[in-house]
Amino acid sequence: MKKKILLIHTGGTIGMTRDLSSGVLRPDHFYASLLKVIPELSAIADIEVEIPFVFDSAELDFQHWQRLAAIIAARIDAVNGVVVTHGTDTLAYTASALSYMLRNVPVPVILTGAQKPLDELRSDARNNLINAVELACADIPEVCIFFDYQLMRGNRTSKNHINFFDAFHSPNYPLLAEVGINIEIYRTHILHPGGPFRVFNEFSPALAVLKLFPGCRCDYFQPGDDIRAVLIVAYGAGTIPLRTGDLPARIEKWLRQDKLVFLDSEAHGGRIEPQLYESGSRLLEMGVISSGDMTFEAAATKLMFLLGQYDQPEPIKASFQKSLAGELTELS
Ligand code: ASP
């Protein structure tokens, strides 16, 4: 019997149409005819299409993630898998957020998109969609991103190329599957539900992000009373300037104001190790918390998620340092 797949379209280049006079790409309602354009999809599975909104993914925020999670949760018992088509720009954020919200997801939830619209020559949309639907029929109970023949854990990915078709990478976790002549699924890399399926809904926007650059005095960065957590995107293993400017004093001030302070790195691959250098050790002593080997997307969405779940700082700090959905390699 054919598997049932819920296909949710949210917008992005994959479904955009080019305005012929200006060349600008805009969201379009191409999905009405999707199954006619790619009839192979119906050969793979029984496809049910939902279109909650159609946006460039730059427009999305946690309210859209909440809508998506609600649609998926409502249908999860009735389908074998879910495919979400989405703009590539914030795809890694949505995938990370959904992985925290849809805990112990029992079926594959595969997000995909395209670098070129489906109706253009040499588009990657067709391949990405067909393969995402095929993989959504397999036993891969995770929130994933499929892009350019590779299936990745969603909360381990970042968009790393603007022009090439291999637009996503998973710098700190191996691929879950690869598509060639055959589909290779790397079973040992796949998570298995550690408990019953549960949906967590709350998010909070009370997060501010400070990205460092040489010469940054950062005076413009004044997180207000409504901000409960600051995520610093530092250098390399988690270093900041100790002697140039007054960032350490500012961080101490935020901590005295009962804000939580977290540390990430602009480098994508590897784990931050703040204790390696003087500045990072000082931050750890102050109570700043390291984001380990999480991507920026996974860390930022996790903080918004945890700030929404908890009012008190302790469970936020403790949960940030644990893997909720495979986004972090915990040190034993
Ligand atoms: N701006 C588009 C979006 O994220 C880019 C894409 O889909 O590739 O919606």
Side-chain angles (χ1 to χ4, degrees), residues 52-213:
F53 44 84
V54 179
F55 287 131
D56 185 298
S57 71
E59 306 289 347
L60 306 189
D61 67 17
F62 63 86
Q63 290 163 11
H64 300 94
W65 305 337
Q66 288 165 331
R67 266 177 85 184
L68 277 177
I71 294 171
I72 295 169
R75 299 292 297 135
I76 205 124
D77 289 335
V79 296
N80 300 98
V82 179
V83 171
V84 180
T85 47
H86 190 292
T88 59
D89 294 343
T90 65
L91 187 62
Y93 293 88
T94 301
S96 299
L98 288 177
S99 76
Y100 307 137
M101 299 172 87
L102 304 171
R103 206 70 61 75
N104 297 317
V105 69
V107 301
V109 174
I110 301 185
L111 290 86
T112 192
Q115 293 282 65
K116 264 176 104 58
L118 175 64
D119 67 1
E120 291 197 356
L121 271 180
R122 293 187 302 100
S123 168
D124 50 337
R126 186 181 195 86
N127 262 337
N128 286 346
L129 250 174
I130 290 174
N131 288 314
V133 168
E134 188 141 7
L135 282 160
C137 297
D139 177 24
I140 305 173
E142 288 216 29
V143 177
C144 316
I145 287 185
F146 182 83
F147 223 88
D148 195 43
Y149 302 104
Q150 299 188 323
L151 186 72
M152 293 159 266
R153 176 169 300 160
N155 58 30
R156 290 290 194 157
T157 62
S158 291
K159 179 168 177 176
N160 71 330
H161 212 285
I162 299 166
N163 313 112
F164 292 158
F165 286 145
D166 59 339
F168 286 84
H169 71 158
S170 172
N172 292 331
Y173 196 77
L175 298 177
L176 304 185
E178 270 175 297
V179 173
I181 290 177
N182 299 312
I183 293 182
E184 299 285 348
I185 298 177
Y186 304 122
R187 292 261 155 234
T188 51
H189 302 159
I190 292 171
L191 273 182
H192 286 284
F197 174 58
R198 285 187 65 188
V199 182
F200 296 88
N201 257 317
E202 301 307 320
F203 279 87
S204 162
L207 170 71
V209 174
L210 172 62
K211 183 165 187 340
L212 299 190
F213 57 91

Side-chain angles (χ1 to χ4, degrees), residues 231-232 237-238 261-265 270-275 280 283-284 287-294 299 302-303 317-322 328-329 331:
L231 177 58
I232 301 173
V261 184
F262 299 88
L263 190 65
D264 198 353
S265 173
R271 161 180 290 274
I272 69 167
E273 295 192 71
Q275 70 282 1
L283 293 178
L284 293 180
V288 172
I289 292 168
S290 151
S291 61
D293 67 350
M294 282 186 271
K302 188 173 182 178
L303 285 173
K317 290 198 238 176
S319 303
F320 186 76
Q321 296 172 87
K322 283 198 198 121
L328 168 74
T329 311
L331 293 180

